């Protein structure tokens, strides 16, 4: 019997190939390493949506859609006040299901992709007691997020690093949030409902929630010299090392090396410590769990990239959503095209029924 749907094919997709045995991720035919090196966010969006949505003049249309999304911020922000960023973002995205957004066409896949950075930046600034910053329709998606957060033009190197991150996490097979989006999409509930479901799944700590705790771990270790002893103590105590191990990959997560190369080009004071922790952790895991293939995953160097571009660790999961919504929307479009309701079976293991003689 299979639990957790391991090994079960629930959909056929052209979006991405995840080969956990070989440590390979391919996005619409392009290895993730090449995608991160050659594409910006608008480029990977066009790649994922090719054949499912209009991708002509996508950068200009996405910029205009960000400007349109900003019009909804004043009426949606009150419902998000005081909530953690991921909850506030979900509340605002869900608000696009109302009549005003439908009338403006902002509940479309493009409208939702555009709304993510706009709403996230507005939430952050509201929490700081500052006025939200309007988008720049001519800016790139990643650069505009940084500009809206800080109210100043983004450093080009930081914008490029964030772009590479958004591309790297844009799609990854039928992970929990993408599957949630496809299940809801299969009911024809619409894009807003499907993306809201994905955000609900993303809140759980088992999916998308580890980059922040990676920084907590690095802070607790403190120095490269302390890494071996600290890691040994954690494993002896039966505690998990943040940023290591993956449900799918039986070897190194290919996205980890992409992001490691990205952060190497930035001025991060944590790089030397992170590399020491990586080396010590891999050695300790091999020693303590020789029968389990535990290696580094995407969240380890995600933490360093997002920290280096200036995001607070409370924003790491919402920033992931800014990138992954490209894949969510692509899967929603693909699922709607099939016209098939997702309805898996279950195996009853409860008490035997009392049947009348």
């Amino acid at each position: 019997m299979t639990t957790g749907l391991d090994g079960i094919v629930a959909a056929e997709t052209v979006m991405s190939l995840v080969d956990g045995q070989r440590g390979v991720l391919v996005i619409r035919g392009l290895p993730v390493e090449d995608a991160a090196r050659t594409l910006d966010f608008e480029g990977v969006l066009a790649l994922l949506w090719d054949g499912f949505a209009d991708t002509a003049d996508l950068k200009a249309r996405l910029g205009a859609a960000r400007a349109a999304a900003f019009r909804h911020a004043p009426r949606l922000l009150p419902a998000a006040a005081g909530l953690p960023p991921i909850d506030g973002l979900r509340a605002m995205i869900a608000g696009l299901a109302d009549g005003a957004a439908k009338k403006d066409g902002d509940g479309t896949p493009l409208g939702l992709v555009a709304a993510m950075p706009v709403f996230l930046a507005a939430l952050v600034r509201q929490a700081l007691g500052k006025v939200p910053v309007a988008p720049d329709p001519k800016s790139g998606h990643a650069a505009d997020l940084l500009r809206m957060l800080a109210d100043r033009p983004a450093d080009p190197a930081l914008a490029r690093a964030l772009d590479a991150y958004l591309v790297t996490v844009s799609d990854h097979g039928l992970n929990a949030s993408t599957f949630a989006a496809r299940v809801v999409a299969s009911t024809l509930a619409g894009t807003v409902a499907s993306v809201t479901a994905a955000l609900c799944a993303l809140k759980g700590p088992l999916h998308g929630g580890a980059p922040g705790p990676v920084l907590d771990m690095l802070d607790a270790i403190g120095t490269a010299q302390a890494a071996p002893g600290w890691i040994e103590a954690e494993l002896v105590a039966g505690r998990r090392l943040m940023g290591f191990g993956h449900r799918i990959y039986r070897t190194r997560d290919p996205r980890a090396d992409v992001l490691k190369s990205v952060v190497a080009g930035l001025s991060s004071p944590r790089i030397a410590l992170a590399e020491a922790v990586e080396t010590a952790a891999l050695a300790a895991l091999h020693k303590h769990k020789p029968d389990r293939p535990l290696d580094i995953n995407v969240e380890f160097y995600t933490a360093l990239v997002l920290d280096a571009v200036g995001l607070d660790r409370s924003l790491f999961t919402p920033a992931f959503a800014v990138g992954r919504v490209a894949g969510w929307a692509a899967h929603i479009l693909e699922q709607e095209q099939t016209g098939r309701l997702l309805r898996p079976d279950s195996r009853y293991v409860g008490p035997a029924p009392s049947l009348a003689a």
Side-chain angles (χ1 to χ4, degrees), residues 38-57:
T38 62
L39 299 177
D40 56 13
F41 180 78
E42 290 84 353
V44 80
L45 190 64
L47 181 67
L48 286 166
W49 288 16
D50 184 36
F52 295 93
D54 182 8
T55 59
D57 300 318

Side-chain angles (χ1 to χ4, degrees), residues 68-69 71-72 75-76 92-109 111-112 119 188-194:
R71 298 198 307 269
H72 297 289
R75 65 182 180 81
L76 296 177
M92 293 186 73
I93 290 295
L96 289 177
D98 67 12
K102 286 183 178 179
K103 179 183 176 184
D104 293 340
D106 295 327
T108 63
L112 285 166
F119 289 175
L188 301 184
T191 307
V192 174
S194 302

